[in-house]
Amino acid sequence: MNIAIQPIGKIRTPYQEKFAIPRQPGLVKSAIGVIEFEKEFNDPNYLRGIEKFSHLWLLFHFHKTAEQGFKPLVRPPRLGGNQKQGVFASRSTFRPNSIGMSVVKFASVDWHNNQLCLRVSGVDLLDETPIVDIKPYVPYADNLIEASSELAQTAPELMQVEFSNDALNQLSKLNSHYPSLKTLVKEVLAQDPRPAYHKTTEPDKIYGVSLYDLNIQWRVSKQINVVLTVQKK
Ligand code: SAM
């Protein structure tokens, strides 16, 4: 039996590439996502009452990795990328049906050029990810205080982030067009996006990441991520 799924819309986010996207939602609180609905769902009736919920579940399609298929075993980054775990015991993007789920914070609903937009924050999704469903987060059912996870009980440790004078000057010029940009860069780099093996083998490397249409470069110095430049691509 095949099930056809029609996306209800797509989400616009700052993340232009998989590199540096946090591993789960809520880790980069200033990452804003705006869901733009497909024509059929471009109707405020679909969202009536949604403001009564502080948080929402987004169900989405891992569209950038779906074609690569899946295997029964994956190597979760939390296990250093060396140990294997069943795909259904993981939150890997490489899975049957390529369905992802993320809890995000509700921000607002508005109209923009005849487009219904649902704004949320704390996203861990690539720009233009197809959204297949939205549901309210229901604390009494979804927030299980007895829940445990031997693999990932707590959020990853954060790195300290500092800005060069060049980066601070560039940020102050960009500030009016990209609200909370400095916070976004800081929160993204605090997650230490480097691949695990680089942490010992690439001490002087300059890293780059795209957020919106900006290129951010940084280097690690004495366990601190130092932002070197923030420039338009
Ligand atoms: N919270 C979701 C879940 O548990 O289903 C996603 C977890 S998954 C480990 C998070 C990673 O998915 C991000 O770091 C990013 O690299 C990747 N990702 C986000 N959007 C994607 C997309 N549209 N296609 C493929 N990979 C994506």
Side-chain angles (χ1 to χ4, degrees):
M1 182 178 77
N2 285 326
I3 303 169
I5 289 186
Q6 178 193 2
I8 58 166
K10 67 176 178 210
I11 189 164
R12 304 307 313 263
T13 80
Y15 301 119
Q16 306 301 310
E17 53 184 321
K18 277 186 66 189
F19 177 58
I21 303 184
R23 290 198 195 125
Q24 288 300 340
L27 298 173
V28 172
K29 297 203 184 312
S30 58
I32 305 292
V34 179
I35 296 163
E36 298 172 351
F37 290 87
E38 290 294 335
K39 222 174 179 177
E40 186 182 338
F41 302 97
N42 196 31
D43 173 345
N45 277 328
Y46 282 104
L47 298 180
R48 192 187 295 179
I50 205 159
E51 70 288 347
K52 295 181 179 124
F53 299 92
S54 65
H55 290 76
L56 304 170
W57 284 106
L58 301 184
L59 301 176
F60 57 93
H61 187 227
F62 285 116
H63 71 307
K64 270 287 145 74
T65 47
E67 279 185 2
Q68 293 172 47
F70 61 92
K71 294 191 179 133
L73 293 169
V74 297
R75 297 172 190 266
R78 282 303 276 264
L79 292 178
N82 299 321
Q83 289 179 52
K84 291 184 179 172
Q85 182 106 354
V87 66
F88 296 138
S90 85
R91 302 285 283 258
S92 170
T93 59
F94 303 98
R95 54 194 319 115
N97 298 316
S98 304
I99 297 287
M101 47 184 275
S102 293
V103 175
V104 295
K105 190 167 191 288
F106 169 79
S108 63
V109 175
D110 31 52
W111 277 99
H112 195 67
N113 296 335
N114 289 329
Q115 174 66 64
L116 178 65
C117 297
L118 170 61
R119 191 175 286 265
V120 296
S121 66
V123 296
D124 60 343
L125 281 69
L126 258 175
D127 191 26
E128 310 236 21
T129 296
I131 303 295
V132 299
D133 205 353
I134 300 169
K135 302 188 188 199
Y137 178 92
V138 179
Y140 80 82
D142 296 345
N143 181 11
L144 305 173
I145 48 169
E146 74 278 23
S148 66
S149 151
E150 275 179 39
L151 186 58
Q153 187 68 18
T154 53
E157 271 183 38
L158 297 181
M159 271 185 87
Q160 202 177 322
V161 179
E162 290 178 359
F163 293 83
S164 69
N165 285 336
D166 277 353
L168 287 173
N169 285 335
Q170 289 156 350
L171 279 165
S172 70
K173 286 184 192 137
L174 293 164
N175 200 33
S176 54
H177 286 92
Y178 304 85
S180 307
L181 181 59
K182 187 176 173 201
T183 312
L184 177 68
V185 172
K186 196 170 180 173
E187 288 183 351
V188 167
L189 298 192
Q191 298 292 320
D192 193 4
R194 291 173 299 163
Y197 65 94
H198 275 211
K199 292 176 190 171
T200 47
T201 58
E202 303 276 350
D204 299 319
K205 191 172 161 60
I206 293 181
Y207 292 89
V209 65
S210 295
L211 293 175
Y212 300 111
D213 58 348
L214 303 170
N215 183 31
I216 289 92
Q217 291 200 318
W218 83 96
R219 157 191 288 144
V220 183
S221 173
K222 298 180 189 146
Q223 302 303 317
I224 297 173
N225 277 334
V226 181
V227 183
L228 304 171
T229 54
V230 180
Q231 288 173 316
K232 283 250 189 199
K233 283 196 236 168

